[in-house]
Amino acid sequence: MKTKQSTKFIHSASPVQHISVGDITVEVTRKRVKNVNLRVGADGHVRASAPARVPLSEIERFVASREPWIRAHLARVATRQQAEAAVGSAGSTVFHWGKPYTLAVVEAGPREKERVTVVGEALVMSVRPAHTGDDEVARAHREKLLSTWQRAELEQVLPGLVAHYGARMGRTPRTVRIRRMTSRWGSCNTRTGAITINLALVEYEPACLEGVIVHELCHLFEANHGPRFYALMDRYFPSWPEARAQLKVRPLRRHALT
Ligand SMILES: [Zn+2]
């Protein structure tokens, strides 16, 4: 029998065999299964289960054909492990929908995109090696990456909420914009029918965003904060005092990362 040099047999009597794809070792277990199954564990081990009748060479060919898939999974495991190691060292806190997350900065793999992901109680920023440092350029870069992610998170829910309350109140804004503002949570241009929502609302309890949306929609009826304005607030968002109190827990900041 001809064996490739990369193929290693360890304990030939044991039901566990090992094959290699480049630098990746795959543990092969013979089981009562119909097909060859491949999986990458959270520990970074690659395991395959295969029926007893399938020759090892065939399993090896199959595993080799799935190499890109294996590598993608291993990269994800590595990011997670790096994140877990980074958390607790230099992590600042970033709030997301009212919950605190520890910020972790990790190096993105060579073919990975820079991105932000929630991993348990950490907000993991995978960035190019040049952007992991503490210098001003790297920090500004991460600030921008975080803002882009926050905007995408807000954009996922904002149109639906505006449509929901707009339908109930019988008036919808002509345009809805998102901006990071330092002095107010939202604004309404009664002349153009445009409302602007502060990007920072993504850092607070979801009820805060709803309260601000309803507040700005009320301005489409009432320009000022008179009794009629608050009668509308009471009608369409009765828990506005609680939402407003939540917004006072943490003051508005110029940047998400400080
Ligand atoms: Zn107002």
Side-chain angles (χ1 to χ4, degrees):
M1 183 181 154
K2 225 169 83 183
T3 335
K4 275 195 201 156
Q5 197 155 25
S6 60
T7 307
K8 273 186 241 159
F9 292 93
I10 299 172
H11 309 300
S12 57
S14 127
V16 177
Q17 297 165 298
H18 291 84
I19 56 175
S20 303
V21 180
D23 56 339
I24 304 165
T25 302
V26 182
E27 192 182 286
V28 182
T29 310
R30 301 298 185 162
K31 281 186 181 160
R32 287 171 173 274
V33 286
K34 270 195 172 161
N35 307 300
V36 180
N37 301 306
L38 192 60
R39 62 192 187 280
V40 177
D43 54 359
H45 283 124
V46 188
R47 296 178 183 89
S49 54
R53 61 182 161 76
V54 178
L56 201 61
S57 59
E58 200 175 304
I59 300 168
E60 197 178 31
R61 266 200 304 278
F62 171 76
V63 170
S65 75
R66 303 300 306 274
E67 190 180 338
W69 180 88
I70 296 171
R71 291 207 181 272
H73 271 263
L74 288 174
R76 240 169 282 163
V77 169
T79 301
R80 180 182 270 263
Q81 285 171 344
Q82 265 187 315
E84 279 162 5
V87 168
S89 55
S92 56
T93 299
V94 172
F95 283 84
H96 187 56
W97 297 131
K99 282 189 214 136
Y101 290 88
T102 305
L103 192 73
V105 179
V106 301
E107 281 184 22
R111 265 172 260 167
E112 267 185 299
K113 262 192 169 178
E114 290 199 324
R115 62 194 178 120
V116 178
T117 41
V118 173
V119 180
E121 285 169 6
L123 207 64
V124 183
M125 305 187 81
S126 308
V127 293
R128 298 264 85 82
H131 299 142
T132 56
D134 241 346
D135 56 291
E136 211 173 301
V137 174
R139 288 179 68 90
H141 180 86
R142 293 202 296 270
E143 177 80 44
K144 211 174 143 195
L145 182 68
L146 182 64
S147 281
T148 304
W149 178 75
Q150 287 178 319
R151 180 177 285 267
E153 289 282 304
L154 186 53
E155 277 169 352
Q156 272 188 28
V157 297
L158 188 58
L161 288 171
V162 171
H164 170 79
Y165 285 106
R168 280 188 58 198
M169 296 168 71
R171 210 167 284 193
T172 43
R174 196 159 293 158
T175 46
V176 182
R177 290 193 204 95
I178 298 170
R179 264 181 69 196
R180 187 175 287 282
M181 298 183 279
T182 51
S183 59
R184 48 196 181 167
W185 297 105
S187 65
C188 177
N189 186 325
T190 49
R191 192 175 50 81
T192 61
I195 69 171
T196 305
I197 297 296
N198 194 333
L199 175 60
L201 282 162
V202 79
E203 297 170 31
Y204 295 78
E205 302 267 337
C208 298
L209 169 65
E210 293 190 42
V212 172
I213 290 170
V214 177
H215 182 111
E216 301 313 331
L217 291 177
C218 284
H219 277 311
L220 295 175
F221 297 89
E222 286 291 320
N224 303 308
H225 300 130
R228 283 176 58 188
F229 179 90
Y230 283 104
L232 285 170
M233 282 304 290
D234 286 339
R235 180 163 167 204
Y236 294 109
F237 201 75
S239 62
W240 65 263
E242 288 86 350
R244 191 169 72 170
Q246 276 293 321
L247 286 175
K248 288 189 176 151
V249 171
R250 273 172 289 117
L252 262 174
R253 298 177 304 180
R254 190 168 294 276
H255 302 292
L257 297 174
T258 43

